[in-house]
């Protein structure tokens, strides 16, 4: 009996080791210090004659990737939209469903998830900010960083800087996903950090720094959120994108149709 028990223990240990060999390790990026934003680009000021002067940052117009390619960056702060209604999960599955277009292989979504106490999609964790690439119908988690507020300028800056460095394309879009409260309240509510929102000034500062690594503007910046189709939001986006997409009113909880977006 003792020999049989010993053999059984050895076999169990071997199986555990074998299974462990197949576990995927998600790279941990060193952003624990989450350095603060230093730049703040002002687009409007009063001139010496009292008139309004508008100056916009010159990013350039040299494509950063191969012709015909698209990367759509999605900054997804799940909040109650995900924890209560699985809206984030539904949109991730819509991104996975981009398979029918003849250009589907040239389109990818790069998503950062955070801002909620529970994700309904697979193994996405609420205990870290995770970064995922969705291409050809599959989601792959490629990196994660320590938990931080999605309503913080430096969190947005870090994601965009990392994204354009690792996943550039001829045309790039940026989507701010989550609850929106307009020009005064901001967007991307984070339920884990006292309901913190990204204010327009924080979006401006974050993109001002991130755009230092860019040779071309985003094709569009959009807010998949309520009340973000405002003149003030457009003023911020004009420095960093050719087009802005936003709703002046409430959005449905399901938000945009990402399958249709990816198949254009």
């Amino acid at each position: 009996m003792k020999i049989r028990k010993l053999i059984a223990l050895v076999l169990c240990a071997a199986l555990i080791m074998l299974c462990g060999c197949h576990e995927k390790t998600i790279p941990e990026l060193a952003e624990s210090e989450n350095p603060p934003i230093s730049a703040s680009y002002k687009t409007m000021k009063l001139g010496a004659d009292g008139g309004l002067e508008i100056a916009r940052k010159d990013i350039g117009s040299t494509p950063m990737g191969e012709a015909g390619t698209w990367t759509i960056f999605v900054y997804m702060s799940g909040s109650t939209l995900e924890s209560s209604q699985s809206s984030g999960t539904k949109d991730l599955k819509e991104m996975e469903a981009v398979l029918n277009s003849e250009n589907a292989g040239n389109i990818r979504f790069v998503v950062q998830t955070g801002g909620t106490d529970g994700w309904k999609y697979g193994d996405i964790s609420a205990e870290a900010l995770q970064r995922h690439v969705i291409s050809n119908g599959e989601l792959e988690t490629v990196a994660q960083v320590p938990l931080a507020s999605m309503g913080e300028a430096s969190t947005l800056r870090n994601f965009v800087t990392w994204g354009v460095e690792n996943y550039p394309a001829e045309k790039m879009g940026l989507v701010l996903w989550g609850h929106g409260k307009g020009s005064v309240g901001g967007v991307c509510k984070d339920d884990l950090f006292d309901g913190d929102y990204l204010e327009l000034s924080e979006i401006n500062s974050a993109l001002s720094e991130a755009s230092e690594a860019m040779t071309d503007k985003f094709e569009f910046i959009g807010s998949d959120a309520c009340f973000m189709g405002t003149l003030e939001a457009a003023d911020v986006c004009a420095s960093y994108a050719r087009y802005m997409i936003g709703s002046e009113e409430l959005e449905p909880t399901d938000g945009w149709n990402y399958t249709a977006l990816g198949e254009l």
Side-chain angles (χ1 to χ4, degrees), residues 10-23:
V10 171
L11 288 173
C12 286
L15 284 172
I16 291 171
M17 292 177 65
L18 184 62
C19 292
C21 291
H22 294 282
E23 291 181 358

Side-chain angles (χ1 to χ4, degrees), residues 153-196:
S154 54
T155 307
L156 175 62
R157 183 270 316 276
N158 291 343
F159 169 60
V160 174
T161 301
W162 170 86
V164 298
E165 178 182 353
N166 289 281
Y167 300 98
E170 180 189 23
K171 294 184 178 181
M172 301 183 293
L174 173 63
V175 180
L176 304 175
W177 191 106
H179 282 299
K181 292 177 67 177
S183 298
V184 176
V187 68
C188 295
K189 179 187 178 187
D190 191 313
D191 284 354
L192 301 180
F193 288 83
D194 297 323
D196 190 18

Side-chain angles (χ1 to χ4, degrees), residues 26-253:
I26 300 173
E28 291 273 358
L29 303 184
E31 288 184 1
S32 57
E33 70 279 5
N34 212 27
I37 287 290
S38 59
S40 181
Y41 188 75
K42 302 292 187 181
T43 60
M44 298 184 184
K45 65 178 181 179
L46 289 177
D49 60 355
L52 183 65
E53 295 180 355
I54 300 177
R56 302 206 180 279
K57 190 169 186 176
D58 184 13
I59 296 173
S61 57
T62 303
M64 296 182 65
E66 296 181 10
T69 58
W70 266 95
T71 300
I72 300 174
F73 300 99
V74 183
Y75 188 75
M76 183 176 284
S77 189
S79 64
T80 54
L81 293 170
E82 171 62 16
S83 61
S84 298
Q85 303 173 63
S86 303
S87 296
T89 291
K90 292 174 185 176
D91 282 350
L92 292 171
K93 291 185 180 297
E94 287 179 357
M95 297 174 203
E96 287 181 329
V98 181
L99 292 172
N100 298 325
S101 169
E102 62 181 16
N103 297 318
N106 295 325
I107 297 170
R108 64 189 165 201
F109 293 90
V110 178
V111 186
Q112 176 163 296
T113 51
T116 185
D117 58 9
W119 289 91
K120 307 299 175 64
Y121 183 104
D123 296 327
I124 294 181
S125 173
E127 297 180 358
L129 300 180
Q130 293 189 316
R131 293 169 180 172
H132 321 275
V133 176
I134 302 173
S135 182
N136 293 315
E138 295 183 357
L139 180 148
E140 179 184 6
T141 302
V142 296
Q144 67 181 27
V145 299
L147 197 63
S149 173
M150 294 284 280
E152 191 69 39
S154 54
T155 307
L156 175 62
R157 183 270 316 276
N158 291 343
F159 169 60
V160 174
T161 301
W162 170 86
V164 298
E165 178 182 353
N166 289 281
Y167 300 98
E170 180 189 23
K171 294 184 178 181
M172 301 183 293
L174 173 63
V175 180
L176 304 175
W177 191 106
H179 282 299
K181 292 177 67 177
S183 298
V184 176
V187 68
C188 295
K189 179 187 178 187
D190 191 313
D191 284 354
L192 301 180
F193 288 83
D194 297 323
D196 190 18
Y197 279 83
L198 270 173
E199 298 177 1
L200 291 183
S201 60
E202 292 178 301
I203 295 171
N204 190 41
S205 296
L207 296 182
S208 179
E209 285 204 357
S211 63
E212 293 296 323
M214 299 172 63
T215 60
D216 194 10
K217 288 184 174 185
F218 290 108
E219 196 67 15
F220 72 86
I221 296 175
S223 294
D224 191 356
C226 300
F227 302 124
M228 296 306 296
T230 68
L231 178 62
E232 293 83 3
D235 177 53
V236 170
C237 293
S239 295
Y240 312 106
R242 294 181 175 89
Y243 300 95
M244 185 197 82
I245 305 169
S247 173
E248 295 181 63
E249 301 290 343
L250 289 168
E251 276 198 0
T253 54

